[in-house]
Amino acid sequence: ETGVTQTPRHLVMGMTNKKSLKCEQHLGHNAMYWYKQSAKKPLELMFVYNFKEQTENNSVPSRFSPECPNSSHLFLHLHTLQPEDSALYLCASSQVAGNRGTDTQYFGPGTRLTVL
Amino acid sequence: TQLLEQSPQFLSIQEGENLTVYCNSSSVFSSLQWYRQEPGEGPVLLVTVVTGGEVKKLKRLTFQFGDARKDSSLHITAAQPGDTGLYLCAAEMDSSYKLIFGSGTRLLVRP
């Protein structure tokens, strides 16, 4: 238990569906992250929020829409996804994004997404 | 082109054996982290190294950061089945605070 929870743990959706992934951290951190982990590619950073402000969008397609209503919660809204978007989506949190070498990221267990 | 190359990609060994996995880049890192990820879970941080030539030990795990801060290794002594998992290195480059992950080494330790 790392203090970062994600729901749902598994999600199967069609290409025309709209769904949302939720992440919650209980660590009092100010930075939250979304990562994508595919079978054949390294873990890829998608978005970074620092004190509820988005500070990084790593060229992510607009069919992925993040939302950070407060420092403890992070959402990833999904719509009209493609089969190649099937992956493990990991959320992480840290004290403050940008503290070189001293800021540890704590990961949630991930949501395994399958797009049919 | 992958910034961080990990080798080997897969490793299957018998309990009690020693092993080393490597993380290499042509770029200089400001810091490097090693994570272990078990099935159904997110990565868990094992260690952070920040100084060239640094060696850190965590029980049977020894982590080394290259003098030029471009490479790192993880050595496990007397591997146990509980060491099974995906080992990921992640680096902060000098030009950015973002973490860049390697593709991982999947380790299986057979009883």
Side-chain angles (χ1 to χ4, degrees):
Chain A
E1 178 61 49
T2 63
V4 181
T5 58
Q6 290 188 242
T7 55
R9 295 292 306 272
H10 301 272
L11 179 62
V12 179
M13 59 187 290
M15 289 190 284
T16 58
N17 292 158
K18 288 185 180 181
K19 297 286 185 184
S20 295
L21 310 185
K22 179 182 176 182
C23 175
E24 184 173 0
Q25 56 96 1
H26 312 274
L27 302 170
H29 289 164
N30 298 297
M32 296 189 79
Y33 310 76
W34 279 118
Y35 286 87
K36 176 182 179 182
Q37 188 174 34
S38 307
K40 298 182 179 180
K41 297 170 87 173
L43 231 157
E44 301 173 81
L45 179 66
M46 299 175 71
F47 301 104
V48 180
Y49 278 82
N50 212 15
F51 295 95
K52 300 190 297 178
E53 297 295 321
Q54 187 180 128
T55 57
E56 188 74 34
N57 177 338
N58 202 24
S59 303
V60 181
S62 59
R63 58 186 183 270
F64 295 92
S65 175
E67 179 190 2
C68 188
N70 55 62
S71 292
S72 299
H73 293 85
L74 185 65
F75 295 89
L76 187 62
H77 304 298
L78 317 171
H79 63 100
T80 59
L81 294 193
Q82 306 296 312
E84 59 264 29
D85 296 322
S86 298
L88 182 68
Y89 288 85
L90 291 160
C91 172
S93 72
S94 70
Q95 195 59 248
V96 178
N99 285 348
R100 287 177 174 278
T102 61
D103 196 37
T104 298
Q105 292 186 25
Y106 294 84
F107 285 83
T111 294
R112 173 70 61 186
L113 174 67
T114 302
V115 182
L116 301 176
Chain B
T1 302
Q2 222 159 279
L3 284 176
L4 280 179
E5 297 282 347
Q6 282 191 245
S7 61
Q9 290 186 15
F10 302 99
L11 193 54
S12 177
I13 62 171
Q14 202 69 35
E15 181 177 1
E17 293 182 3
N18 302 333
L19 66 116
T20 303
V21 299
Y22 300 92
C23 179
N24 296 290
S25 176
S26 57
S27 302
V28 176
F29 313 142
S30 58
S31 70
L32 187 133
Q33 300 176 348
W34 284 95
Y35 291 81
R36 180 170 67 217
Q37 184 177 16
E38 298 184 22
E41 300 297 330
V44 175
L45 181 68
L46 297 173
V47 77
T48 300
V49 286
V50 295
T51 305
E54 184 175 2
V55 177
K56 281 191 174 179
K57 292 195 174 185
L58 184 66
K59 297 184 180 178
R60 293 176 294 100
L61 278 59
T62 302
F63 305 86
Q64 188 160 5
F65 201 14
D67 290 339
R69 293 187 293 135
K70 292 184 177 182
D71 57 271
S72 181
S73 64
L74 157 59
H75 182 79
I76 301 179
T77 303
Q80 299 176 0
D83 296 325
T84 292
L86 177 67
Y87 288 81
L88 297 164
C89 65
E92 276 183 343
M93 301 297 180
D94 276 344
S95 58
S96 169
Y97 69 86
K98 293 186 294 184
L99 280 181
I100 308 296
F101 280 82
S103 53
T105 293
R106 197 165 295 278
L107 172 65
L108 172 65
V109 182
R110 305 185 305 274

